[in-house]
Amino acid sequence: MSEPPYSPGLAGVIAGETTIGCVDQGKLLYRGYTIQDLAETVCFEEVAHLLLFESLPNAGELETVKQSLANYRPLPVPLISALRAIPNDVPMMDVLRSMVSFTSHFDPIEGHDEAANRQRALWLTAQIGGIIAARYRLLNGQEPLSPKDGLSHAAQILYQCHGEIPDALSEELIDLSLVLYAEHDFNASTFTGRVICSTLSDIVSGVTGAIGALKGPLHGGANEAAMEMLARFKSAEEASSWITQALANKEKVMGFGHRVYKQGDHRAVILEEKLRKLAAQKGEETWMAIYDAIKKPMTEEKKIYPNVDYPCGLTYFLLGLPLDLYTPLFVASRVTGWSAHILEQARNNRIYRPLSIYKGPKARPVPPISER
Ligand code: CMC
């Protein structure tokens, strides 16, 4: 009997059907809208509505989403106490994973039908922004801040971190990154969430598991890893000689490559355009020269293109955000995509249970302990 087909990393394997997002001929679509159009015209809250409620909101619906987020933002008091108990050297992604699970013990939503889970997704979105900011402030020896009425989700996260209403450019760029990060089809973290919930487990468990999957540097952790790499260099020359050596040693360069995009990630192109303007405005041309010194041989010689995490790392850095916040900000956005997938999985569920090719010993007797 021939062995069933096997594809390492499930490359090329179709693992489900979705109406939420896809990469169509190299273009990322959220429910049929191109990421380019969305990036130019809508804010994160509109994307959250699109993903969770399946349509772009009208003005009234957008107001309702904003109001729900505002209502769901305050963190439970015991959660702040738990945050205080976590040692300072615990990475923010680990804190976020634990605290998302913790906050579920104070879940204000009743029921587990689709409508309740949509609200639960908004509640998780609101809580995650607050958890990131509260941890950030505690690490800086400051008390967590209550949310401020009337701010966008992007501005709210920055406000609750820094205690100041952010400037328009910072708000615009964080909002853009949230729009770009919100959804990406059956990627590793989304698939993790779907697998967890395919057992009829709950949405918080799915999101908690997805955070664990996103944290790795081959996935969402790449925005931090890419910036860590850039920060090693003081000049474009230093970056050039490093990348020549790295390519010769066949090293992985963080922020480049993608399983689905082989001709480049459109999200990276959109964000890079804004990054160049930001760097020029801040007089940070050296950083762009370092950025380009790595990018040039990767794209021209290796034909491996930047993914969204490459420009995102430097964008967050030039906005003055600490490294530890980069992947959590990815979570702050992707929680909407994960939740949409978990809702979709529940509608037409079949438990995920793939096969493996067994390469271990054939059936054999258990030897008595004296003979082992
Ligand atoms: N640097 C150097 N070589 C690379 C890179 C890279 N970043 N990415 C792929 N390659 C090479 C790889 O070594 C392999 O070469 P060869 O055929 O000679 O062995 C070839 O390109 C195919 O790569 P692969 O690892 O089989 O590709 P994959 O589809 O399994 O992995 C990936 C995709 C994103 C994990 C990988 O490109 C990678 O590790 N990139 C760096 C981490 C990163 O930036 N991740 C963010 C992904 S996008 C946004 C997100 O999810 O956060």
Side-chain angles (χ1 to χ4, degrees):
M1 201 175 76
S2 67
E3 285 192 335
Y6 165 50
S7 175
L10 299 184
V13 171
I14 295 168
E17 295 178 324
T18 184
T19 62
I20 303 166
C22 72
V23 178
D24 182 24
Q25 296 173 14
K27 282 207 163 68
L28 175 61
L29 307 179
Y30 294 175
R31 297 204 185 274
Y33 300 107
T34 68
I35 194 64
Q36 175 87 48
D37 283 353
L38 292 170
E40 283 169 8
T41 52
V42 305
C43 64
F44 171 69
E45 288 87 332
E46 287 169 276
V47 166
H49 190 283
L50 174 64
L51 296 174
L52 294 171
F53 296 85
E54 302 175 32
S55 64
L56 283 170
N58 61 30
E61 288 165 336
L62 179 58
E63 206 33 57
T64 306
V65 167
K66 289 183 177 174
Q67 197 49 55
S68 301
L69 288 171
N71 294 342
Y72 294 143
R73 265 191 194 105
L75 298 177
V77 174
L79 187 146
I80 304 278
S81 307
L83 274 177
R84 288 186 208 282
I86 298 175
N88 281 1
D89 60 354
V90 175
M92 181 75 93
M93 281 297 282
D94 295 2
V95 173
L96 196 50
R97 186 200 55 218
S98 303
M99 290 300 105
V100 164
S101 184
F102 189 86
T103 199
S104 70
H105 308 313
F106 309 91
D107 180 348
I109 319 287
E110 279 178 23
H112 287 275
D113 61 8
E114 191 170 286
N117 275 336
R118 279 207 182 100
Q119 287 307 308
R120 197 164 274 113
L122 287 175
W123 164 72
L124 278 171
T125 306
Q127 291 279 296
I128 284 171
I131 293 168
I132 294 169
R135 168 72 176 172
Y136 173 81
R137 285 187 73 80
L138 288 171
L139 282 180
N140 286 289
Q142 296 165 312
E143 280 304 295
L145 280 179
S146 300
K148 194 172 187 65
D149 284 346
L151 298 182
S152 68
H153 194 58
Q156 188 70 250
I157 295 174
L158 292 177
Y159 168 76
Q160 285 191 270
C161 283
H162 301 309
E164 287 169 10
I165 295 181
D167 60 79
L169 183 65
S170 300
E171 179 179 0
E172 182 197 331
L173 285 171
I174 296 295
D175 182 68
L176 174 64
S177 71
L178 297 180
V179 168
L180 297 177
Y181 269 145
E183 155 60 12
H184 212 255
D185 170 38
F186 270 52
N187 58 82
S189 56
T190 301
F191 189 50
T192 301
R194 287 190 80 129
V195 170
I196 290 174
C197 292
S198 80
T199 68
L200 302 185
S201 182
D202 64 293
I203 183 169
V204 180
S205 298
V207 168
T208 305
I211 293 173
L214 190 81
K215 155 183 150 166
L218 295 188
H219 194 5
N223 59 10
E224 289 181 24
M227 189 57 225
E228 255 167 359
M229 170 185 72
L230 294 178
R232 281 190 242 144
F233 314 115
K234 295 210 164 34
S235 66
E237 292 69 34
E238 271 184 36
S240 286
S241 54
W242 177 81
I243 186 75
T244 307
Q245 204 52 50
L247 290 181
N249 295 341
K250 290 196 168 292
E251 277 180 49
K252 272 264 165 94
V253 183
M254 291 300 152
F256 286 84
H258 204 280
R259 172 65 61 77
V260 179
Y261 304 107
K262 295 301 174 195
Q263 301 302 318
D265 174 347
H266 202 57
R267 298 170 301 172
V269 177
I270 295 169
L271 194 54
E272 187 183 294
E273 196 186 315
K274 298 280 181 187
L275 167 63
R276 287 194 190 281
K277 287 189 185 144
L278 174 70
Q281 197 171 322
K282 292 193 173 272
E284 297 281 12
E285 278 81 6
T286 306
W287 281 113
M288 282 320 297
I290 292 171
Y291 177 99
D292 286 330
I294 303 282
K295 184 182 160 190
K296 198 168 187 295
M298 287 301 289
T299 51
E300 292 178 4
E301 291 166 33
K302 291 283 286 184
K303 308 276 181 240
I304 299 176
Y305 298 89
N307 57 58
V308 65
D309 288 325
Y310 190 55
C312 193
L314 186 54
T315 303
Y316 287 165
F317 179 81
L318 293 183
L319 291 176
L321 298 175
L323 211 61
D324 210 22
L325 283 186
Y326 299 4
T327 314
L329 283 171
F330 194 155
V331 176
S333 164
R334 185 60 63 83
V335 59
T336 55
W338 291 332
S339 303
H341 277 271
I342 289 167
L343 291 168
E344 187 177 65
Q345 180 69 33
R347 261 193 211 171
N348 193 12
N349 187 50
R350 188 163 188 207
I351 190 169
Y352 277 102
R353 203 322 182 173
L355 298 174
S356 63
I357 300 170
Y358 178 66
K359 299 274 191 185
K362 292 206 178 339
R364 52 185 172 160
V366 177
I369 195 160
S370 58
E371 289 173 21
R372 287 179 222 158

